[in-house]
Amino acid sequence: MNALSDLHATLDPSRKSWVESANDSASDFSIQNLPFGIFSDRRHGQQDDARRVGVAIGDQIVDLAALQAAGLLNVPSRADVFASALARDTLNDFIALGRDAWRSVRIQLSTLLARDTATLRDDAALRAKALVRQADAQLHLPVQIPGYTDFYSSKEHATNVGSMFRDPKNALLPNWSEMPIGYNGRASSVVVSGTPVSRPNGQLKLPDQERPVFGACRKLDIELEMGFVIGAGNALGEPVACADAEAHIFGMVLLNDWSARDIQQWEYVPLGPFNAKTFATTISPWIVTLDALERFRVAQPVQEPQPLAYLRHDGEHAFDIHLEVTLRPQQAKQASTIARTNFRHMYWTMAQQLAHHTVSGCNTRVGDLMGSGTISGPTEDSYGSLLELTWNGKKPLELREGGTRTFIEDGDELTLAGWCQGDGYRVGFGACAGQILPARREG
Amino acid sequence: MNALSDLHATLDPSRKSWVESANDSASDFSIQNLPFGIFSDRRHGQQDDARRVGVAIGDQIVDLAALQAAGLLNVPSRADVFASALARDTLNDFIALGRDAWRSVRIQLSTLLARDTATLRDDAALRAKALVRQADAQLHLPVQIPGYTDFYSSKEHATNVGSMFRDPKNALLPNWSEMPIGYNGRASSVVVSGTPVSRPNGQLKLPDQERPVFGACRKLDIELEMGFVIGAGNALGEPVACADAEAHIFGMVLLNDWSARDIQQWEYVPLGPFNAKTFATTISPWIVTLDALERFRVAQPVQEPQPLAYLRHDGEHAFDIHLEVTLRPQQAKQASTIARTNFRHMYWTMAQQLAHHTVSGCNTRVGDLMGSGTISGPTEDSYGSLLELTWNGKKPLELREGGTRTFIEDGDELTLAGWCQGDGYRVGFGACAGQILPARREG
């Protein structure tokens, strides 16, 4: 057996599944994808102890523990811990088995789910145990996140923000082109898609008043981002080289870095955003592995000036991932698409972000989440935040249904979507959605 | 039994212990203190599974699991989980038992260790099991830290930094007096006192060159801080009121927020410090409970303007804690005291910090660490960083032995100390120390 040729077989565009819904060209969860997540079966109640590892295929979820128990899935080198890693309420133990294990499990699943493999296809009793309809499942936060870092790696986004709040002629700060600027985020408030988010309260500095007032955020925004999840950490004092960085990444998710622009503008000097971001960050429930994204690898934008040596890598390290944001007002039947862009526009790559993050000696751990920063494209309809789309509220957006928007209103549901477009199939991320609830009343 | 009178009895200055070293007026670990930590017995090897909960008394550590096993320590309301919480390699499970449990355990220990209590004093066999000399013990990180936040709450420090890098006449930014400014730190690299710290590498922007260079930090600094540890978290969307905040705090530690000033100056605009701080943060191994600090409560500085309502509390919320920093060059026998100050100078209180942190709805979790920010006093010898003590290197410090210093040199050992001075006894924190190793060579 040749692991690399087995890997390539999982990516073959002509491979189809006996799970027919996976063959729909619009399904995010083709047999080429096979993303990992944590689910529980709603039909059995929602006790935490029922949470376990699943893989999405079409409109179904494969229960990995059930396949392992049936002897259809194994990792011989980690046999002692493999079964228990599948019965956990987060993916961390599974991820900690290592890259060879994730890759091998994905290859085994691809074979089991392929149209011509009879083992599971023709075993109705086992299928009933090992497949759960997504409609019957509850999805949970896929990883326990020891640390969350957010970068700021879209040149278009940084330029737009700099133009709006500083000087359009010198919109990019001098350090921006030299390093992937990042900051530590708040891991505790990362929630899974579908979790409602309350509008935050905080200090607002109104232009006509000398002192700040306390109240509900009036400029609530999204940030369209993607995040990557650390699959192999590094020890304190031992940086990850740029060339090795992708081997430390388990996979990617969609990420909405909800942002309170008015709170942010008042608080962020000199130590960066804090309460403007810590109230919630939403991620999509399925982690798409880098293996599944391999055929969508493209060249990153040209970097000028050439980065310092520790930030250099050969080859292609960007990914061609289509991205969309929709907004649906509470009473509206239809959602409006408010932005379309692509992850390939990002100036700094994930590998460069991780190399920079660790070059000081900082350690990372399995499950750490790293956000890309807002992903904005070059055109006015490709910006990844309402701040940019409405130019800080000056140019309201016209919705298909529900009026106009400058920033988010109570009841609005914001949804990020993302997918790689193959020839007749998609490798997609599912939804990253959240509805905004009214602010908590104080006193 | 009256819990509050029992608590007051543990703080009685006249109470002495049969552990005679605890009665030394210079000992940090008087019977009035009884701080919690995690230790292993060096004589039995250093396997992780030997880590367990201990309490410092004089030059000894009390092994709580041994006392529980002997029937001398109990928490009737949590009897099912109490024993297992003491056999863990972090304090998190013990802390999660709740405030009544910590308080009760400390009261029971105070009685058991009091001079007139014969139970343990006269039982040589049990003493041999339940007491370990600190000299024979290895101390470990006391908590698993889900989130680390660092504040910036010393008015003197913020004023000094503003004077140096901005405008001496408008040194304090307008938002500083309205809220305890804070930012998210990196939890993964928090280490326990005694862990060596490698000088970080990173991007340095030299004044005579157009582009940054990569290299070892040339302006390595300490920040003298204290930290508090969350004892009871809050749910997402449910802020902690300022008046209730202290009930959410388990206790305090000393904290050294190692800082690479040259890396920081180049990277920190606009999202705050990142690689300049993420390489290491050192904390002292013993967590001193707020109960033990109760007699050292003092009034906080007058706050002008009066804070917004959500940041107001009645009563005294500062603590009179003497602080010292010493520096010992690698070859020197003697350490030099380079700063002396007091925690009582802090403008924003811990209660205000926690109320502000959660007012947006941000959740906290047991074990979260919150740093005070650099603690600088009003005089030039009371500043909490070399940046301020040497005024960004312009005024070198003369050491007792080993020459002069502007910033930290390789081999230097920096130690923070802190204690409350009672009448004939101390409630102290032990050492928070770290030696700087040379930077890792690249390539």
Side-chain angles (χ1 to χ4, degrees):
Chain A
M1 229 174 56
N2 177 324
L4 212 58
S5 71
D6 288 342
L7 171 61
H8 288 146
T10 69
L11 306 176
D12 181 350
S14 68
R15 184 170 278 195
K16 298 290 175 194
S17 176
W18 50 260
V19 179
E20 282 301 333
S21 57
N23 304 324
D24 180 335
S25 62
S27 173
D28 277 339
F29 307 121
S30 63
I31 192 169
Q32 287 77 18
N33 190 349
L34 304 175
F36 293 84
I38 294 290
F39 77 103
S40 56
D41 192 330
R42 281 188 178 152
R43 296 168 304 176
H44 303 156
Q46 292 185 31
Q47 279 76 32
D48 272 19
D49 59 1
R51 296 187 189 192
R52 54 202 191 273
V53 174
V55 162
I57 175 86
D59 59 5
Q60 305 286 315
I61 297 172
V62 185
D63 181 337
L64 299 203
L67 292 187
Q68 187 279 333
L72 295 183
L73 207 57
N74 57 75
V75 178
S77 64
R78 308 303 304 274
D80 53 331
V81 286
F82 181 53
S84 67
L86 298 178
R88 293 274 190 272
D89 61 0
T90 69
L91 286 170
N92 297 62
D93 283 2
F94 173 70
I95 297 173
L97 296 176
R99 195 187 189 198
D100 289 347
W102 331 320
R103 184 166 280 180
S104 163
V105 165
R106 189 172 161 284
I107 290 169
Q108 293 174 61
L109 286 169
S110 178
T111 302
L112 273 171
L113 294 166
R115 188 172 269 168
D116 297 338
T117 308
T119 326
L120 182 56
R121 184 191 69 195
D122 296 348
D123 185 337
L126 182 55
R127 272 205 328 271
K129 278 190 209 164
L131 286 183
V132 177
R133 293 193 327 143
Q134 286 173 29
D136 292 330
Q138 174 84 31
L139 296 172
H140 305 279
L141 198 65
V143 279
Q144 182 270 322
I145 301 169
Y148 164 45
T149 302
D150 197 23
F151 288 91
Y152 184 59
S153 290
S154 156
K155 190 170 189 172
E156 290 79 4
H157 171 68
T159 304
N160 286 338
V161 172
S163 297
M164 240 178 281
F165 295 112
R166 286 187 303 270
D167 174 6
K169 285 176 195 152
N170 295 291
L172 272 189
L173 290 165
N175 59 9
W176 196 92
S177 308
E178 297 287 358
M179 69 176 92
I181 295 283
Y183 67 101
N184 300 297
R186 178 78 188 170
S188 69
S189 52
V190 178
V191 297
V192 73
S193 176
T195 308
V197 172
S198 294
R199 179 181 298 271
N201 291 311
Q203 289 197 20
L204 316 174
K205 182 71 172 62
L206 307 177
D208 58 344
Q209 293 187 34
E210 198 175 329
R211 291 195 57 197
V213 298
F214 180 82
C217 167
R218 303 170 187 195
K219 289 189 170 181
L220 186 57
D221 200 357
I222 53 152
E223 291 197 343
L224 165 62
E225 303 194 14
M226 299 199 67
F228 66 87
V229 174
I230 294 293
N234 65 298
L236 192 63
E238 295 179 14
V240 176
C242 201
D244 303 333
E246 284 180 1
H248 286 257
I249 299 176
F250 175 65
M252 295 182 70
V253 293
L254 297 168
L255 185 153
N256 184 351
D257 176 25
W258 302 96
S259 296
R261 299 297 177 197
D262 38 9
I263 295 173
Q264 184 174 357
Q265 201 177 348
W266 171 233
E267 76 174 0
Y268 90 104
V269 176
L271 298 180
F274 185 52
N275 280 356
K277 306 263 193 181
T278 57
F279 60 97
T281 302
T282 302
I283 64 172
S284 53
W286 296 108
I287 306 180
V288 177
T289 61
L290 282 204
D291 278 352
L293 297 170
E294 191 53 41
R295 288 179 77 101
F296 304 96
R297 194 181 276 279
V298 292
Q300 55 275 20
V302 173
Q303 296 180 327
E304 179 57 44
Q306 186 187 36
L308 295 182
Y310 80 94
L311 292 172
R312 289 181 208 155
H313 45 20
D314 296 325
E316 301 184 329
H317 299 280
F319 293 88
D320 182 9
I321 304 172
H322 299 270
L323 297 166
E324 267 189 19
V325 184
T326 58
L327 186 158
R328 191 178 65 77
Q330 186 151 28
Q331 303 303 336
K333 291 194 180 105
Q334 300 180 93
S336 299
T337 300
I338 59 171
R340 287 190 180 85
T341 186
N342 195 299
F343 184 67
R344 67 188 298 167
H345 296 306
M346 298 305 281
Y347 187 86
W348 295 105
T349 68
M350 295 184 283
Q352 290 174 319
Q353 290 170 337
L354 185 54
H356 181 67
H357 197 322
T358 60
V359 76
S360 68
C362 183
N363 53 332
T364 63
R365 296 181 284 194
V366 166
D368 278 352
L369 177 67
M370 312 271 169
S372 59
T374 309
I375 304 163
S376 289
T379 59
E380 285 185 14
D381 59 354
S382 67
Y383 297 161
S385 65
L386 285 164
L387 177 72
E388 296 161 88
L389 289 165
T390 72
W391 214 253
N392 197 15
K394 292 195 185 76
K395 300 196 283 186
L397 284 180
E398 196 78 39
L399 303 180
R400 289 170 68 185
E401 182 185 347
T404 61
R405 284 292 180 281
T406 49
F407 290 95
I408 302 173
E409 296 187 5
D410 288 346
D412 286 355
E413 185 181 49
L414 279 295
T415 305
L416 317 184
W419 67 94
C420 302
Q421 187 61 59
D423 184 9
Y425 70 97
R426 283 182 172 188
V427 171
F429 287 80
C432 176
Q435 187 186 27
I436 293 297
L437 305 182
R440 188 175 192 273
R441 281 176 191 252
E442 293 301 310
Chain B
M1 228 174 54
N2 176 325
L4 213 58
S5 71
D6 288 342
L7 171 61
H8 288 146
T10 69
L11 306 176
D12 181 349
S14 68
R15 184 169 278 194
K16 299 289 175 194
S17 176
W18 49 261
V19 179
E20 282 302 332
S21 57
N23 304 323
D24 181 335
S25 63
S27 173
D28 277 339
F29 307 120
S30 62
I31 192 168
Q32 286 77 18
N33 190 350
L34 304 175
F36 293 85
I38 294 292
F39 77 103
S40 56
D41 193 329
R42 282 187 179 154
R43 297 168 304 176
H44 303 156
Q46 292 185 30
Q47 280 75 33
D48 272 18
D49 60 0
R51 295 186 189 192
R52 54 202 191 274
V53 174
V55 163
I57 175 87
D59 60 5
Q60 306 287 315
I61 297 171
V62 184
D63 181 336
L64 299 204
L67 292 187
Q68 188 278 332
L72 295 182
L73 207 58
N74 58 75
V75 177
S77 64
R78 308 302 304 272
D80 53 331
V81 285
F82 181 53
S84 66
L86 298 178
R88 293 275 190 273
D89 61 0
T90 70
L91 286 169
N92 297 60
D93 283 3
F94 172 70
I95 296 174
L97 297 176
R99 194 187 189 197
D100 289 347
W102 331 320
R103 184 165 279 180
S104 163
V105 166
R106 188 171 162 282
I107 290 170
Q108 293 173 62
L109 286 169
S110 178
T111 302
L112 273 171
L113 294 166
R115 189 171 268 167
D116 297 337
T117 308
T119 328
L120 182 55
R121 183 190 70 194
D122 296 349
D123 185 339
L126 182 56
R127 274 204 329 271
K129 277 191 210 165
L131 287 183
V132 177
R133 293 193 327 145
Q134 286 173 28
D136 291 330
Q138 175 84 31
L139 296 171
H140 305 279
L141 199 65
V143 278
Q144 182 269 323
I145 301 169
Y148 164 45
T149 302
D150 198 23
F151 288 91
Y152 184 60
S153 290
S154 156
K155 189 169 188 171
E156 291 78 5
H157 171 67
T159 304
N160 286 337
V161 172
S163 297
M164 239 177 280
F165 294 113
R166 285 186 303 269
D167 174 6
K169 285 176 195 153
N170 295 293
L172 273 188
L173 289 165
N175 60 10
W176 195 93
S177 309
E178 297 287 358
M179 68 175 93
I181 294 284
Y183 66 102
N184 300 297
R186 180 77 189 170
S188 69
S189 52
V190 177
V191 297
V192 73
S193 176
T195 308
V197 172
S198 293
R199 179 181 297 271
N201 290 311
Q203 288 197 21
L204 316 173
K205 182 71 174 63
L206 307 177
D208 58 344
Q209 292 187 33
E210 198 176 328
R211 290 196 56 197
V213 299
F214 181 82
C217 167
R218 302 169 187 195
K219 289 189 170 181
L220 186 57
D221 201 357
I222 54 153
E223 291 197 343
L224 165 62
E225 302 194 15
M226 299 199 68
F228 65 87
V229 174
I230 293 293
N234 65 297
L236 192 63
E238 296 180 13
V240 176
C242 202
D244 303 333
E246 284 180 0
H248 286 257
I249 299 176
F250 175 65
M252 296 182 71
V253 293
L254 298 168
L255 185 153
N256 184 350
D257 176 24
W258 302 97
S259 297
R261 298 298 177 198
D262 38 9
I263 295 173
Q264 184 174 356
Q265 202 178 347
W266 171 232
E267 76 174 359
Y268 90 104
V269 176
L271 298 180
F274 184 53
N275 280 356
K277 307 263 193 180
T278 57
F279 60 96
T281 302
T282 302
I283 64 171
S284 53
W286 296 108
I287 306 181
V288 177
T289 61
L290 281 204
D291 278 351
L293 296 171
E294 190 54 41
R295 288 179 76 102
F296 304 96
R297 194 181 276 278
V298 292
Q300 55 274 21
V302 173
Q303 296 180 325
E304 178 59 43
Q306 186 186 36
L308 295 181
Y310 81 94
L311 292 172
R312 289 180 208 156
H313 44 20
D314 296 324
E316 301 185 329
H317 299 280
F319 293 88
D320 182 10
I321 305 172
H322 299 270
L323 297 166
E324 267 189 21
V325 184
T326 58
L327 186 158
R328 191 178 64 78
Q330 186 150 28
Q331 303 302 337
K333 292 193 178 107
Q334 300 181 92
S336 299
T337 299
I338 59 171
R340 286 189 181 86
T341 187
N342 195 300
F343 184 66
R344 67 186 298 168
H345 296 306
M346 299 304 282
Y347 187 85
W348 295 105
T349 68
M350 295 184 283
Q352 290 174 320
Q353 289 169 339
L354 185 55
H356 181 67
H357 197 320
T358 60
V359 76
S360 67
C362 182
N363 53 332
T364 63
R365 296 181 285 194
V366 166
D368 278 352
L369 177 66
M370 312 270 168
S372 59
T374 310
I375 304 164
S376 289
T379 59
E380 285 184 15
D381 59 354
S382 68
Y383 297 161
S385 66
L386 285 163
L387 177 72
E388 295 162 88
L389 289 165
T390 73
W391 213 253
N392 199 14
K394 292 196 184 75
K395 299 195 284 186
L397 284 180
E398 195 77 41
L399 303 180
R400 288 170 69 185
E401 182 186 347
T404 61
R405 285 293 180 280
T406 49
F407 291 96
I408 302 172
E409 296 187 6
D410 288 347
D412 287 354
E413 184 181 49
L414 278 294
T415 304
L416 316 184
W419 67 93
C420 302
Q421 186 61 58
D423 184 10
Y425 72 97
R426 283 182 171 187
V427 171
F429 287 80
C432 177
Q435 187 185 27
I436 293 296
L437 305 182
R440 188 174 192 275
R441 280 174 194 255
E442 293 302 309

